[in-house]
Amino acid sequence: MTHFPFSMSDKTDGTGSDAGILTKTKTRTQRPPMYKVMLLNDDYTPMEFVVHVLERFFGLTHAQAFDIMLTVHKKGLAVVGVFSFEVAETKVAQVMDFARRHQHPLQCTMEKE
């Protein structure tokens, strides 16, 4: 005879229903908020430098980087990408640090999408 760690009386709550049944609840995991990373136009940073930053820190092709640089130049700013908070924060810091080290006033910001 096989022994189980519970008796038959453990399975019911006295009403004849099975109290040992677990119900599976579905939890909805919320997607983390995303953040837009933007470059702002200024009158001093060379266009070639902006293209280089876009290629280096955002992995864009030369053509993609050139298009975004022109958008920044014409419209005053452009969204470069949308990332999780940590990734966006890192990219902003990298761009700002790189621009400062090369003595350019290029501004890179982020905002919640």
Side-chain angles (χ1 to χ4, degrees):
M1 180 170 190
T2 307
H3 291 273
F4 293 101
F6 57 87
S7 66
M8 289 301 281
S9 62
D10 289 340
K11 291 175 93 177
T12 62
D13 61 4
T15 61
S17 68
D18 220 358
I21 294 177
L22 295 175
T23 56
K24 194 174 190 178
T25 57
K26 288 189 177 182
T27 56
R28 249 181 222 194
T29 53
Q30 256 189 331
R31 295 185 69 82
M34 300 299 278
Y35 291 80
K36 297 184 286 189
V37 173
M38 298 167 293
L39 283 182
L40 308 177
N41 190 39
D42 64 72
D43 294 332
Y44 304 100
T45 305
M47 292 179 175
E48 299 80 27
F49 184 80
V50 175
V51 170
H52 178 70
V53 162
L54 292 167
E55 292 171 344
R56 179 173 178 161
F57 297 105
F58 297 93
L60 301 177
T61 65
H62 187 75
Q64 291 169 323
F66 192 82
D67 286 345
I68 290 176
M69 177 276 299
L70 282 180
T71 301
V72 171
H73 181 70
K74 291 176 184 174
K75 296 189 175 181
L77 72 104
V79 174
V80 182
V82 179
F83 308 95
S84 68
F85 178 82
E86 291 79 9
V87 172
E89 188 177 49
T90 299
K91 290 197 179 288
V92 168
Q94 288 173 328
V95 169
M96 295 295 287
D97 181 58
F98 190 72
R100 295 302 157 266
R101 283 189 284 132
H102 289 86
Q103 299 176 342
H104 294 301
L106 181 65
Q107 293 293 306
C108 185
T109 62
M110 62 187 264
E111 71 179 38
K112 203 169 192 175
E113 190 180 35

PDB file of all heavy atoms in Angstrom, residues 49-75:
ATOM      1  N   PHE A  49      30.500  65.689 -37.164  1.00  0.00           N
ATOM      2  CA  PHE A  49      30.624  65.155 -35.806  1.00  0.00           C
ATOM      3  C   PHE A  49      29.315  64.500 -35.372  1.00  0.00           C
ATOM      4  O   PHE A  49      29.321  63.420 -34.775  1.00  0.00           O
ATOM      5  CB  PHE A  49      31.015  66.273 -34.825  1.00  0.00           C
ATOM      6  CG  PHE A  49      31.246  65.777 -33.428  1.00  0.00           C
ATOM      7  CD1 PHE A  49      32.444  65.176 -33.080  1.00  0.00           C
ATOM      8  CD2 PHE A  49      30.256  65.898 -32.456  1.00  0.00           C
ATOM      9  CE1 PHE A  49      32.657  64.698 -31.794  1.00  0.00           C
ATOM     10  CE2 PHE A  49      30.460  65.431 -31.159  1.00  0.00           C
ATOM     11  CZ  PHE A  49      31.665  64.826 -30.827  1.00  0.00           C
ATOM     12  N   VAL A  50      28.198  65.129 -35.696  1.00  0.00           N
ATOM     13  CA  VAL A  50      26.881  64.573 -35.345  1.00  0.00           C
ATOM     14  C   VAL A  50      26.683  63.233 -36.052  1.00  0.00           C
ATOM     15  O   VAL A  50      26.234  62.259 -35.437  1.00  0.00           O
ATOM     16  CB  VAL A  50      25.747  65.563 -35.694  1.00  0.00           C
ATOM     17  CG1 VAL A  50      24.383  64.941 -35.447  1.00  0.00           C
ATOM     18  CG2 VAL A  50      25.903  66.853 -34.891  1.00  0.00           C
ATOM     19  N   VAL A  51      27.049  63.158 -37.307  1.00  0.00           N
ATOM     20  CA  VAL A  51      26.939  61.904 -38.061  1.00  0.00           C
ATOM     21  C   VAL A  51      27.791  60.829 -37.387  1.00  0.00           C
ATOM     22  O   VAL A  51      27.348  59.695 -37.189  1.00  0.00           O
ATOM     23  CB  VAL A  51      27.339  62.098 -39.543  1.00  0.00           C
ATOM     24  CG1 VAL A  51      27.469  60.767 -40.268  1.00  0.00           C
ATOM     25  CG2 VAL A  51      26.328  62.993 -40.253  1.00  0.00           C
ATOM     26  N   HIS A  52      29.005  61.189 -37.006  1.00  0.00           N
ATOM     27  CA  HIS A  52      29.906  60.242 -36.341  1.00  0.00           C
ATOM     28  C   HIS A  52      29.304  59.734 -35.022  1.00  0.00           C
ATOM     29  O   HIS A  52      29.336  58.534 -34.736  1.00  0.00           O
ATOM     30  CB  HIS A  52      31.270  60.899 -36.082  1.00  0.00           C
ATOM     31  CG  HIS A  52      32.220  60.011 -35.363  1.00  0.00           C
ATOM     32  ND1 HIS A  52      32.793  58.901 -35.938  1.00  0.00           N
ATOM     33  CD2 HIS A  52      32.682  60.058 -34.085  1.00  0.00           C
ATOM     34  CE1 HIS A  52      33.575  58.302 -35.046  1.00  0.00           C
ATOM     35  NE2 HIS A  52      33.523  58.984 -33.913  1.00  0.00           N
ATOM     36  N   VAL A  53      28.726  60.639 -34.236  1.00  0.00           N
ATOM     37  CA  VAL A  53      28.090  60.262 -32.962  1.00  0.00           C
ATOM     38  C   VAL A  53      26.949  59.273 -33.210  1.00  0.00           C
ATOM     39  O   VAL A  53      26.815  58.266 -32.504  1.00  0.00           O
ATOM     40  CB  VAL A  53      27.579  61.527 -32.222  1.00  0.00           C
ATOM     41  CG1 VAL A  53      26.564  61.173 -31.149  1.00  0.00           C
ATOM     42  CG2 VAL A  53      28.743  62.299 -31.624  1.00  0.00           C
ATOM     43  N   LEU A  54      26.128  59.550 -34.208  1.00  0.00           N
ATOM     44  CA  LEU A  54      24.987  58.681 -34.515  1.00  0.00           C
ATOM     45  C   LEU A  54      25.444  57.292 -34.955  1.00  0.00           C
ATOM     46  O   LEU A  54      24.842  56.282 -34.574  1.00  0.00           O
ATOM     47  CB  LEU A  54      24.104  59.329 -35.580  1.00  0.00           C
ATOM     48  CG  LEU A  54      23.365  60.588 -35.115  1.00  0.00           C
ATOM     49  CD1 LEU A  54      22.778  61.344 -36.295  1.00  0.00           C
ATOM     50  CD2 LEU A  54      22.292  60.230 -34.097  1.00  0.00           C
ATOM     51  N   GLU A  55      26.493  57.234 -35.725  1.00  0.00           N
ATOM     52  CA  GLU A  55      27.029  55.935 -36.163  1.00  0.00           C
ATOM     53  C   GLU A  55      27.640  55.184 -34.979  1.00  0.00           C
ATOM     54  O   GLU A  55      27.380  53.994 -34.791  1.00  0.00           O
ATOM     55  CB  GLU A  55      28.095  56.136 -37.250  1.00  0.00           C
ATOM     56  CG  GLU A  55      27.555  56.646 -38.562  1.00  0.00           C
ATOM     57  CD  GLU A  55      28.644  57.049 -39.541  1.00  0.00           C
ATOM     58  OE1 GLU A  55      29.825  57.233 -39.124  1.00  0.00           O
ATOM     59  OE2 GLU A  55      28.319  57.199 -40.714  1.00  0.00           O
ATOM     60  N   ARG A  56      28.430  55.890 -34.196  1.00  0.00           N
ATOM     61  CA  ARG A  56      29.185  55.262 -33.109  1.00  0.00           C
ATOM     62  C   ARG A  56      28.310  54.792 -31.944  1.00  0.00           C
ATOM     63  O   ARG A  56      28.469  53.683 -31.452  1.00  0.00           O
ATOM     64  CB  ARG A  56      30.242  56.241 -32.602  1.00  0.00           C
ATOM     65  CG  ARG A  56      31.057  55.698 -31.455  1.00  0.00           C
ATOM     66  CD  ARG A  56      32.183  56.621 -31.102  1.00  0.00           C
ATOM     67  NE  ARG A  56      32.928  56.100 -29.965  1.00  0.00           N
ATOM     68  CZ  ARG A  56      34.144  56.470 -29.653  1.00  0.00           C
ATOM     69  NH1 ARG A  56      34.776  57.350 -30.395  1.00  0.00           N
ATOM     70  NH2 ARG A  56      34.739  55.972 -28.595  1.00  0.00           N
ATOM     71  N   PHE A  57      27.409  55.646 -31.478  1.00  0.00           N
ATOM     72  CA  PHE A  57      26.656  55.339 -30.268  1.00  0.00           C
ATOM     73  C   PHE A  57      25.273  54.752 -30.517  1.00  0.00           C
ATOM     74  O   PHE A  57      24.666  54.199 -29.604  1.00  0.00           O
ATOM     75  CB  PHE A  57      26.541  56.578 -29.374  1.00  0.00           C
ATOM     76  CG  PHE A  57      27.877  57.052 -28.878  1.00  0.00           C
ATOM     77  CD1 PHE A  57      28.459  58.180 -29.411  1.00  0.00           C
ATOM     78  CD2 PHE A  57      28.568  56.342 -27.907  1.00  0.00           C
ATOM     79  CE1 PHE A  57      29.705  58.618 -28.969  1.00  0.00           C
ATOM     80  CE2 PHE A  57      29.812  56.756 -27.463  1.00  0.00           C
ATOM     81  CZ  PHE A  57      30.390  57.902 -27.995  1.00  0.00           C
ATOM     82  N   PHE A  58      24.780  54.869 -31.749  1.00  0.00           N
ATOM     83  CA  PHE A  58      23.441  54.350 -32.033  1.00  0.00           C
ATOM     84  C   PHE A  58      23.443  53.281 -33.120  1.00  0.00           C
ATOM     85  O   PHE A  58      22.396  52.771 -33.497  1.00  0.00           O
ATOM     86  CB  PHE A  58      22.493  55.499 -32.396  1.00  0.00           C
ATOM     87  CG  PHE A  58      22.317  56.468 -31.257  1.00  0.00           C
ATOM     88  CD1 PHE A  58      23.112  57.592 -31.151  1.00  0.00           C
ATOM     89  CD2 PHE A  58      21.379  56.221 -30.256  1.00  0.00           C
ATOM     90  CE1 PHE A  58      22.979  58.475 -30.090  1.00  0.00           C
ATOM     91  CE2 PHE A  58      21.234  57.085 -29.191  1.00  0.00           C
ATOM     92  CZ  PHE A  58      22.033  58.211 -29.102  1.00  0.00           C
ATOM     93  N   GLY A  59      24.627  52.954 -33.628  1.00  0.00           N
ATOM     94  CA  GLY A  59      24.759  51.861 -34.589  1.00  0.00           C
ATOM     95  C   GLY A  59      24.071  52.110 -35.918  1.00  0.00           C
ATOM     96  O   GLY A  59      23.666  51.168 -36.597  1.00  0.00           O
ATOM     97  N   LEU A  60      23.938  53.371 -36.292  1.00  0.00           N
ATOM     98  CA  LEU A  60      23.261  53.695 -37.541  1.00  0.00           C
ATOM     99  C   LEU A  60      24.224  53.611 -38.713  1.00  0.00           C
ATOM    100  O   LEU A  60      25.432  53.796 -38.557  1.00  0.00           O
ATOM    101  CB  LEU A  60      22.667  55.105 -37.458  1.00  0.00           C
ATOM    102  CG  LEU A  60      21.648  55.351 -36.342  1.00  0.00           C
ATOM    103  CD1 LEU A  60      21.211  56.807 -36.349  1.00  0.00           C
ATOM    104  CD2 LEU A  60      20.453  54.444 -36.493  1.00  0.00           C
ATOM    105  N   THR A  61      23.660  53.357 -39.883  1.00  0.00           N
ATOM    106  CA  THR A  61      24.476  53.398 -41.098  1.00  0.00           C
ATOM    107  C   THR A  61      24.790  54.869 -41.381  1.00  0.00           C
ATOM    108  O   THR A  61      24.155  55.775 -40.825  1.00  0.00           O
ATOM    109  CB  THR A  61      23.719  52.818 -42.305  1.00  0.00           C
ATOM    110  OG1 THR A  61      22.587  53.664 -42.585  1.00  0.00           O
ATOM    111  CG2 THR A  61      23.260  51.388 -42.050  1.00  0.00           C
ATOM    112  N   HIS A  62      25.721  55.101 -42.281  1.00  0.00           N
ATOM    113  CA  HIS A  62      26.070  56.479 -42.628  1.00  0.00           C
ATOM    114  C   HIS A  62      24.852  57.215 -43.190  1.00  0.00           C
ATOM    115  O   HIS A  62      24.600  58.368 -42.835  1.00  0.00           O
ATOM    116  CB  HIS A  62      27.234  56.507 -43.618  1.00  0.00           C
ATOM    117  CG  HIS A  62      27.738  57.890 -43.886  1.00  0.00           C
ATOM    118  ND1 HIS A  62      28.509  58.591 -42.981  1.00  0.00           N
ATOM    119  CD2 HIS A  62      27.543  58.727 -44.935  1.00  0.00           C
ATOM    120  CE1 HIS A  62      28.771  59.789 -43.462  1.00  0.00           C
ATOM    121  NE2 HIS A  62      28.203  59.898 -44.654  1.00  0.00           N
ATOM    122  N   ALA A  63      24.092  56.543 -44.044  1.00  0.00           N
ATOM    123  CA  ALA A  63      22.905  57.168 -44.659  1.00  0.00           C
ATOM    124  C   ALA A  63      21.858  57.512 -43.602  1.00  0.00           C
ATOM    125  O   ALA A  63      21.280  58.609 -43.624  1.00  0.00           O
ATOM    126  CB  ALA A  63      22.311  56.250 -45.716  1.00  0.00           C
ATOM    127  N   GLN A  64      21.601  56.579 -42.654  1.00  0.00           N
ATOM    128  CA  GLN A  64      20.628  56.840 -41.584  1.00  0.00           C
ATOM    129  C   GLN A  64      21.096  58.008 -40.715  1.00  0.00           C
ATOM    130  O   GLN A  64      20.305  58.890 -40.367  1.00  0.00           O
ATOM    131  CB  GLN A  64      20.462  55.594 -40.705  1.00  0.00           C
ATOM    132  CG  GLN A  64      19.784  54.428 -41.376  1.00  0.00           C
ATOM    133  CD  GLN A  64      19.902  53.163 -40.534  1.00  0.00           C
ATOM    134  OE1 GLN A  64      20.927  52.907 -39.890  1.00  0.00           O
ATOM    135  NE2 GLN A  64      18.853  52.349 -40.551  1.00  0.00           N
ATOM    136  N   ALA A  65      22.377  57.994 -40.366  1.00  0.00           N
ATOM    137  CA  ALA A  65      22.939  59.037 -39.518  1.00  0.00           C
ATOM    138  C   ALA A  65      22.861  60.397 -40.215  1.00  0.00           C
ATOM    139  O   ALA A  65      22.524  61.412 -39.595  1.00  0.00           O
ATOM    140  CB  ALA A  65      24.384  58.702 -39.155  1.00  0.00           C
ATOM    141  N   PHE A  66      23.131  60.408 -41.503  1.00  0.00           N
ATOM    142  CA  PHE A  66      23.083  61.657 -42.270  1.00  0.00           C
ATOM    143  C   PHE A  66      21.658  62.212 -42.294  1.00  0.00           C
ATOM    144  O   PHE A  66      21.448  63.412 -42.099  1.00  0.00           O
ATOM    145  CB  PHE A  66      23.610  61.425 -43.692  1.00  0.00           C
ATOM    146  CG  PHE A  66      23.853  62.694 -44.446  1.00  0.00           C
ATOM    147  CD1 PHE A  66      25.031  63.410 -44.264  1.00  0.00           C
ATOM    148  CD2 PHE A  66      22.906  63.182 -45.324  1.00  0.00           C
ATOM    149  CE1 PHE A  66      25.255  64.598 -44.957  1.00  0.00           C
ATOM    150  CE2 PHE A  66      23.114  64.369 -46.019  1.00  0.00           C
ATOM    151  CZ  PHE A  66      24.301  65.082 -45.832  1.00  0.00           C
ATOM    152  N   ASP A  67      20.661  61.336 -42.499  1.00  0.00           N
ATOM    153  CA  ASP A  67      19.257  61.766 -42.518  1.00  0.00           C
ATOM    154  C   ASP A  67      18.838  62.365 -41.176  1.00  0.00           C
ATOM    155  O   ASP A  67      18.177  63.407 -41.125  1.00  0.00           O
ATOM    156  CB  ASP A  67      18.333  60.602 -42.877  1.00  0.00           C
ATOM    157  CG  ASP A  67      18.401  60.232 -44.350  1.00  0.00           C
ATOM    158  OD1 ASP A  67      18.932  61.031 -45.150  1.00  0.00           O
ATOM    159  OD2 ASP A  67      17.914  59.131 -44.691  1.00  0.00           O
ATOM    160  N   ILE A  68      19.210  61.707 -40.080  1.00  0.00           N
ATOM    161  CA  ILE A  68      18.848  62.214 -38.749  1.00  0.00           C
ATOM    162  C   ILE A  68      19.557  63.538 -38.476  1.00  0.00           C
ATOM    163  O   ILE A  68      18.968  64.471 -37.936  1.00  0.00           O
ATOM    164  CB  ILE A  68      19.129  61.162 -37.662  1.00  0.00           C
ATOM    165  CG1 ILE A  68      18.126  60.012 -37.814  1.00  0.00           C
ATOM    166  CG2 ILE A  68      19.043  61.771 -36.263  1.00  0.00           C
ATOM    167  CD1 ILE A  68      18.335  58.853 -36.871  1.00  0.00           C
ATOM    168  N   MET A  69      20.833  63.626 -38.866  1.00  0.00           N
ATOM    169  CA  MET A  69      21.577  64.882 -38.682  1.00  0.00           C
ATOM    170  C   MET A  69      20.882  66.030 -39.415  1.00  0.00           C
ATOM    171  O   MET A  69      20.749  67.126 -38.870  1.00  0.00           O
ATOM    172  CB  MET A  69      23.015  64.710 -39.186  1.00  0.00           C
ATOM    173  CG  MET A  69      23.869  65.962 -39.117  1.00  0.00           C
ATOM    174  SD  MET A  69      23.683  67.085 -40.535  1.00  0.00           S
ATOM    175  CE  MET A  69      24.216  66.072 -41.888  1.00  0.00           C
ATOM    176  N   LEU A  70      20.397  65.762 -40.631  1.00  0.00           N
ATOM    177  CA  LEU A  70      19.692  66.807 -41.381  1.00  0.00           C
ATOM    178  C   LEU A  70      18.385  67.204 -40.697  1.00  0.00           C
ATOM    179  O   LEU A  70      18.030  68.383 -40.673  1.00  0.00           O
ATOM    180  CB  LEU A  70      19.412  66.345 -42.818  1.00  0.00           C
ATOM    181  CG  LEU A  70      20.597  66.402 -43.779  1.00  0.00           C
ATOM    182  CD1 LEU A  70      20.184  65.914 -45.161  1.00  0.00           C
ATOM    183  CD2 LEU A  70      21.176  67.810 -43.864  1.00  0.00           C
ATOM    184  N   THR A  71      17.693  66.219 -40.113  1.00  0.00           N
ATOM    185  CA  THR A  71      16.466  66.518 -39.369  1.00  0.00           C
ATOM    186  C   THR A  71      16.775  67.414 -38.181  1.00  0.00           C
ATOM    187  O   THR A  71      16.066  68.393 -37.919  1.00  0.00           O
ATOM    188  CB  THR A  71      15.772  65.218 -38.905  1.00  0.00           C
ATOM    189  OG1 THR A  71      15.476  64.427 -40.055  1.00  0.00           O
ATOM    190  CG2 THR A  71      14.504  65.504 -38.129  1.00  0.00           C
ATOM    191  N   VAL A  72      17.836  67.089 -37.446  1.00  0.00           N
ATOM    192  CA  VAL A  72      18.252  67.911 -36.306  1.00  0.00           C
ATOM    193  C   VAL A  72      18.569  69.323 -36.789  1.00  0.00           C
ATOM    194  O   VAL A  72      18.132  70.316 -36.193  1.00  0.00           O
ATOM    195  CB  VAL A  72      19.487  67.300 -35.590  1.00  0.00           C
ATOM    196  CG1 VAL A  72      20.052  68.259 -34.548  1.00  0.00           C
ATOM    197  CG2 VAL A  72      19.140  65.969 -34.951  1.00  0.00           C
ATOM    198  N   HIS A  73      19.285  69.416 -37.878  1.00  0.00           N
ATOM    199  CA  HIS A  73      19.710  70.714 -38.421  1.00  0.00           C
ATOM    200  C   HIS A  73      18.507  71.559 -38.858  1.00  0.00           C
ATOM    201  O   HIS A  73      18.444  72.757 -38.571  1.00  0.00           O
ATOM    202  CB  HIS A  73      20.655  70.479 -39.599  1.00  0.00           C
ATOM    203  CG  HIS A  73      21.174  71.734 -40.214  1.00  0.00           C
ATOM    204  ND1 HIS A  73      22.071  72.560 -39.568  1.00  0.00           N
ATOM    205  CD2 HIS A  73      20.930  72.316 -41.412  1.00  0.00           C
ATOM    206  CE1 HIS A  73      22.346  73.594 -40.346  1.00  0.00           C
ATOM    207  NE2 HIS A  73      21.672  73.473 -41.481  1.00  0.00           N
ATOM    208  N   LYS A  74      17.534  70.924 -39.524  1.00  0.00           N
ATOM    209  CA  LYS A  74      16.391  71.659 -40.072  1.00  0.00           C
ATOM    210  C   LYS A  74      15.284  71.928 -39.050  1.00  0.00           C
ATOM    211  O   LYS A  74      14.672  72.986 -39.059  1.00  0.00           O
ATOM    212  CB  LYS A  74      15.795  70.894 -41.255  1.00  0.00           C
ATOM    213  CG  LYS A  74      16.688  70.862 -42.468  1.00  0.00           C
ATOM    214  CD  LYS A  74      16.073  70.007 -43.557  1.00  0.00           C
ATOM    215  CE  LYS A  74      17.011  69.895 -44.757  1.00  0.00           C
ATOM    216  NZ  LYS A  74      16.489  68.968 -45.761  1.00  0.00           N
ATOM    217  N   LYS A  75      15.026  70.946 -38.180  1.00  0.00           N
ATOM    218  CA  LYS A  75      13.887  71.061 -37.262  1.00  0.00           C
ATOM    219  C   LYS A  75      14.274  71.435 -35.833  1.00  0.00           C
ATOM    220  O   LYS A  75      13.408  71.684 -35.005  1.00  0.00           O
ATOM    221  CB  LYS A  75      13.092  69.754 -37.256  1.00  0.00           C
ATOM    222  CG  LYS A  75      12.465  69.454 -38.611  1.00  0.00           C
ATOM    223  CD  LYS A  75      11.518  68.303 -38.540  1.00  0.00           C
ATOM    224  CE  LYS A  75      10.835  68.140 -39.892  1.00  0.00           C
ATOM    225  NZ  LYS A  75       9.874  67.043 -39.879  1.00  0.00           N
TER     226      LYS A  75
END
